[in-house]
Amino acid sequence: MSAAKSLLIELGTEELPPKALDELAAAFQRGICDGLAKRGVEASLDLAKAYASPRRLAVHIPDVAVNQPEQTIERRGPAINAALDAEGQPSKALQGFAQSCGVSVEQLEKLETDKGSWFVFRAVKPGQPVASLLPDIVDEALKGLPIPKPMRWADHDYSFVRPVHWLVILHGADIVDGEVLGLKSGRKSRGHRFMHAQPVHVADADSWLDAMRAAKVLADPVERRQRIRDEVAKAAKQTGGQPQLDDALLNEIANLTEWPAAIACTFEREFLAVPPEALVTTMETNQKFVPVFDASGKLTEHFIGIANIDSKDPGEIRKGYERVIRPRFADAKFFWDEDLKTPLAGYQDQLKNVTYQQSLGSLWDKSVRVAELARIIANRVGVDAGEATRAAALSKCDLLTRMVGEFPELQGVMGRYYASRHGETAEVAAALDSYYQPRFAGDAIAAGKVGQVLAVAERFDTLAGIFAVGLKPSGNKDPFALRRAALGLARTLVEGQIELDLKGSFVEALELIPEAALAAGLKPGKDGKAPALDAGKRRGVLVDELYDFVIDRLRGYYAEQGFTSEQFEAVLAVAPASLVDFDRRLRAVAEFGRRPEALSLAAANKRVANILRKQAEEANASIVGTVVDPAHFEADAERHLAMALDAAKADTAAPLQSGDYTAVLARLAQLQAPVDAFFDSVLVNAEDPAVRANRLALLGQLKAQFTAIADIARL
């Protein structure tokens, strides 16, 4: 690369929103790189790096060219056959195009392609100094940031996520003159708000990071995160415990600080009587403190606060942190103590006063539906129906407690604690928490069978009810999180090995949905009136929609595990009733696909399917299942195939009955040789109608053997 220098762009702001900071920094980097690339500027874009702290967004790119290369301009104009009249004179469209390009019609060139001919304008434009392009590039990048609610300040016309205060644009050691968001660029940055209040002189683009560090700002998020880890580990040693610092909390702390310093703190041991999840939620969510546990995993009275300053008197900061956590813990203890005065079942009547969904009734109504589904499912899969219905009846009660009212993220968790305290069985108590699982991507399903039954019943009702009232997801909108519910349902059925007829279960769920809700989901016609409700037909349509909706979630689930779309479609073609059965078939098909015989048999099955479909269309009847008569065999190849097929039927009857589809397909793979021999030497469409029908019947039985597992032809 000819003359090139490092580029540094830094925009100083008021404190940026911590949860959006990483995305803003990445988008800013992309915007700058895209702006340079679009203008053809040579630069080491693969080495570009984004920097961010609460008060700044920055991008550093090594080796950015000083000058833009020559720009080749090509504009395509009207097609030649439309641009000239019958006498060969230029049309007004052609004249207008030439005028817009600043040339005469005679100066235009012609472009010949296999799709036609056009007039075209070509020119070479001298490249500009990159410094003159950068202000526009920065402005475009900032306008392209994902800012849902930009703000205005003072009397400016422009807006940004937060007010801006300084702008540094350096190309090597040179200042790039320009103005963005009302700021003129220079080489004066700012350091830490409290520990380095004076301006920071930045000599050149490559020295910026060190200059920031010297001014008590760790502008590199990676370096800042590592400092937080080290500081937390050092503070935890003082307590003798183990800190719990997950990535989400680490990222948020890093985006709130520029020079993090950890301080070990303590709270009163009496608060440990409160469930630890409530205390941890308070520490992490409300205060961004790091909880500390002992070697056995039990929460201790210690926690770690992260200051944004190296204090001369850290003891005062510690007192402040301890002072601010105390009232929150006191509230949590009050909620806990007060909630324990009422048994969890005591909240059931209050559920009648809380609307779940206008057409679907209250939380009480939902609990009744879920309890009935849980009873049906539990009896069907061999789980204690009494415990399943009890768990369903209590599943929404903790939503009315003081603790969950203050900390909504603890729903389920607190239900488990309250149920345990008030004498519910361990299985019921655990189910009240675990039925929410999987709560997020990668989360496990409920561990206990009662929890799994409740999880499945809850999701069947949610999906059936919301679809019934016509509020199924559209586009990116999914206010009821139905996609997550469908995936959770599918995962619980598959991973929990719960054998249920998926469509049949949706039929049962929809039977519990009131007809008023079904009617609410009907769209009005052109006359503005909703069609007359036929509840049976409406439920039938919804069952198919719900089945397809769940299956669509399974596509991504299995794709992540490495299954191909062809394998998935092969199984879907036979529409297994149970997702557990679907899973077994899919794994058997994937195993079959790795066999050397698979490709040939898949091709043969496709050929068989095409032959049978064509014959069925001509005869307006299906060949599959027709009896094969050995008396009509004329060739050894068809006799051998019939014998091999009969032997395969006998060998696969037991494993097919038990669901051992891998064994079935392994045995059917042995049919490759007789199938290949049949197609090599036998003419299916024989002149003799009886012989032809017999051969078609033989192929129909072959197809039936394979499609008892999946449509192998789709492989």
Side-chain angles (χ1 to χ4, degrees):
M1 186 186 302
S2 59
K5 297 180 289 187
S6 294
L7 174 66
L8 181 280
I9 302 166
E10 180 196 19
L11 178 68
T13 71
E14 292 289 340
E15 275 70 9
L16 294 162
K19 291 185 178 179
L21 186 57
D22 294 333
E23 186 180 3
L24 289 172
F28 189 38
Q29 176 191 320
R30 287 194 302 271
I32 298 298
C33 290
D34 290 347
L36 291 169
K38 184 172 69 174
R39 291 164 175 80
V41 177
E42 295 183 2
S44 301
L45 299 181
D46 55 330
L47 298 178
K49 188 167 183 180
Y51 295 98
S53 77
R55 299 176 66 211
R56 70 203 72 230
L57 293 172
V59 175
H60 179 272
I61 307 174
D63 300 326
V64 176
V66 173
N67 292 301
Q68 180 189 38
E70 288 184 340
Q71 302 294 294
T72 300
I73 300 172
E74 181 174 298
R75 289 179 58 191
R76 185 181 294 190
I80 291 178
N81 59 2
L84 300 175
D85 60 22
E87 298 177 358
Q89 296 301 310
S91 65
K92 289 185 178 180
L94 180 58
Q95 293 174 7
F97 172 69
Q99 185 177 359
S100 69
C101 296
V103 296
S104 64
V105 171
E106 291 73 20
Q107 291 176 288
L108 295 175
E109 300 179 28
K110 293 181 180 179
L111 175 66
E112 303 286 345
T113 73
D114 54 355
K115 295 182 179 180
S117 303
W118 284 267
F119 281 101
V120 66
F121 168 72
R122 293 190 179 98
V124 176
K125 181 181 177 182
Q128 300 179 57
V130 169
S132 66
L133 303 174
L134 283 170
D136 285 342
I137 292 175
V138 174
D139 188 57
E140 290 174 7
L142 292 175
K143 288 178 179 176
L145 295 185
I147 305 172
K149 293 182 179 179
M151 63 180 294
R152 296 182 183 275
W153 60 97
D155 57 352
H156 304 307
D157 292 332
Y158 42 77
S159 61
F160 194 56
V161 62
R162 291 292 185 270
V164 297
H165 292 300
W166 73 90
L167 176 66
V168 176
I169 307 180
L170 296 176
H171 198 183
D174 299 328
I175 296 174
V176 174
D177 291 327
E179 184 173 320
V180 177
L181 296 178
L183 299 173
K184 290 187 177 180
S185 59
R187 65 170 73 250
K188 295 293 184 182
S189 181
R190 298 186 191 180
H192 194 282
R193 186 184 289 277
F194 306 112
M195 293 192 292
H196 197 286
Q198 59 271 35
V200 178
H201 177 86
V202 183
D204 55 57
D206 291 331
S207 66
W208 173 81
L209 194 60
D210 289 334
M212 290 296 97
R213 197 178 290 113
K216 298 296 184 180
V217 172
L218 297 178
D220 186 345
V222 175
E223 182 182 0
R224 205 160 59 249
R225 286 175 173 81
Q226 188 56 52
R227 178 180 168 90
I228 292 170
R229 292 190 192 95
D230 295 341
E231 284 280 305
V232 167
K234 183 171 65 175
K237 280 187 178 181
Q238 301 173 28
T239 70
Q242 300 294 322
Q244 175 180 286
L245 180 62
D246 61 28
D247 288 342
L249 180 58
L250 172 63
N251 292 339
E252 195 160 1
I253 293 173
N255 292 342
L256 285 166
T257 58
E258 292 191 321
W259 194 264
I263 298 174
C265 309
T266 306
F267 59 83
E268 290 81 356
R269 291 183 60 84
E270 65 183 72
F271 291 127
L272 292 175
V274 179
E277 291 89 344
L279 302 180
V280 169
T281 298
T282 296
M283 284 188 273
E284 293 183 340
T285 304
N286 299 119
Q287 302 300 330
K288 318 307 174 194
F289 292 155
V290 181
V292 177
F293 293 77
D294 63 19
S296 65
K298 187 177 180 181
L299 184 66
T300 71
E301 70 274 22
H302 302 289
F303 68 96
I304 299 169
I306 311 297
N308 187 30
I309 189 172
D310 270 339
S311 175
K312 296 178 181 178
D313 190 358
E316 285 301 312
I317 295 181
R318 175 178 56 78
K319 290 178 184 178
Y321 286 162
E322 293 173 350
R323 186 167 56 249
V324 77
I325 201 71
R326 192 172 296 115
R328 289 192 173 274
F329 279 4
D331 286 346
K333 189 174 187 307
F334 171 77
F335 297 146
W336 168 247
D337 292 338
E338 288 297 305
D339 288 340
L340 286 176
K341 294 177 182 178
T342 304
L344 198 56
Y347 292 100
Q348 285 181 306
D349 280 345
Q350 297 179 42
L351 293 174
K352 297 175 182 178
N353 302 321
V354 182
T355 301
Y356 166 60
Q357 199 279 334
Q358 185 176 3
S359 299
L360 294 170
S362 65
L363 286 180
W364 165 264
D365 297 319
K366 180 171 178 60
S367 295
V368 170
R369 293 195 300 269
V370 173
E372 177 60 13
L373 286 174
R375 183 190 66 78
I376 294 170
I377 294 168
N379 284 325
R380 193 163 287 153
V381 301
V383 172
D384 189 314
E387 290 193 330
T389 53
R390 180 62 175 173
L394 298 176
S395 62
K396 302 300 179 187
C397 290
D398 69 335
L399 299 180
L400 300 179
T401 63
R402 292 173 174 83
M403 188 72 86
V404 174
E406 180 69 16
F407 304 109
E409 57 268 49
L410 293 180
Q411 56 187 294
V413 174
M414 297 314 302
R416 168 167 52 85
Y417 277 106
Y418 295 138
S420 297
R421 284 298 188 99
H422 291 119
E424 303 293 341
T425 66
E427 290 76 11
V428 169
L432 297 184
D433 184 5
S434 64
Y435 89 94
Y436 285 97
Q437 294 176 257
R439 287 181 169 91
F440 49 84
D443 191 20
I445 65 168
K449 284 299 178 184
V450 176
Q452 290 174 7
V453 167
L454 180 54
V456 167
E458 167 72 21
R459 289 166 172 82
F460 271 128
D461 177 74
T462 297
L463 290 164
I466 302 303
F467 265 64
V469 298
L471 296 176
K472 62 183 179 181
S474 60
N476 293 327
K477 296 180 180 179
D478 188 7
F480 291 92
L482 296 188
R483 294 185 178 95
R484 187 175 66 191
L487 180 57
L489 170 64
R491 283 190 55 199
T492 303
L493 291 172
V494 172
E495 296 172 24
Q497 291 292 289
I498 300 174
E499 288 270 12
L500 289 176
D501 182 322
L502 186 60
K503 283 192 174 182
S505 296
F506 275 125
V507 169
E508 291 167 341
L510 286 164
E511 286 295 334
L512 298 173
I513 301 298
E515 289 195 8
L518 293 170
L522 293 174
K523 294 182 179 180
K526 293 181 179 179
D527 59 358
K529 298 180 181 179
L533 174 67
D534 184 321
K537 288 183 179 179
R538 175 99 171 101
R539 288 188 173 100
V541 170
L542 288 171
V543 166
D544 291 337
E545 289 182 357
L546 287 161
Y547 179 84
D548 292 342
F549 187 72
V550 173
I551 292 298
D552 280 343
R553 309 285 80 73
L554 276 180
R555 294 179 194 278
Y557 172 70
Y558 282 117
E560 290 177 357
Q561 298 179 48
F563 294 95
T564 67
S565 60
E566 291 81 10
Q567 292 166 353
F568 186 91
E569 294 297 332
V571 176
L572 181 58
V574 300
S578 156
L579 293 189
V580 175
D581 192 44
F582 192 110
D583 184 78
R584 284 197 296 264
R585 291 170 187 263
L586 182 60
R587 295 183 188 282
V589 167
E591 181 66 28
F592 173 76
R594 290 189 279 270
R595 303 183 68 91
E597 307 95 332
L599 187 61
S600 174
L601 283 170
N605 270 274
K606 186 172 184 179
R607 185 174 179 182
V608 168
N610 290 335
I611 292 172
L612 294 178
R613 182 170 57 252
K614 183 177 180 181
Q615 290 295 327
E617 289 172 354
E618 293 176 356
N620 196 27
S622 174
I623 304 295
V624 178
T626 307
V627 176
V628 176
D629 185 355
H632 290 300
F633 288 151
E634 293 184 344
D636 289 341
E638 55 187 326
R639 294 188 184 92
H640 293 158
L641 177 58
M643 293 172 59
L645 190 56
D646 286 341
K649 287 180 186 177
D651 292 344
T652 58
L656 185 61
Q657 182 69 26
S658 65
D660 187 357
Y661 302 125
T662 300
V664 173
L665 287 176
R667 176 63 182 85
L668 294 181
Q670 298 174 26
L671 294 175
Q672 181 198 4
V675 168
D676 288 349
F678 177 89
F679 281 115
D680 286 343
S681 59
V682 175
L683 177 64
V684 176
N685 289 322
E687 292 186 6
D688 186 332
V691 173
R692 180 170 67 251
N694 200 54
R695 290 172 178 173
L696 289 170
L698 180 61
L699 293 182
Q701 292 191 6
L702 174 67
K703 181 176 184 292
Q705 279 299 110
F706 277 96
T707 53
I709 312 297
D711 187 357
I712 301 300
R714 294 177 183 257
L715 298 180

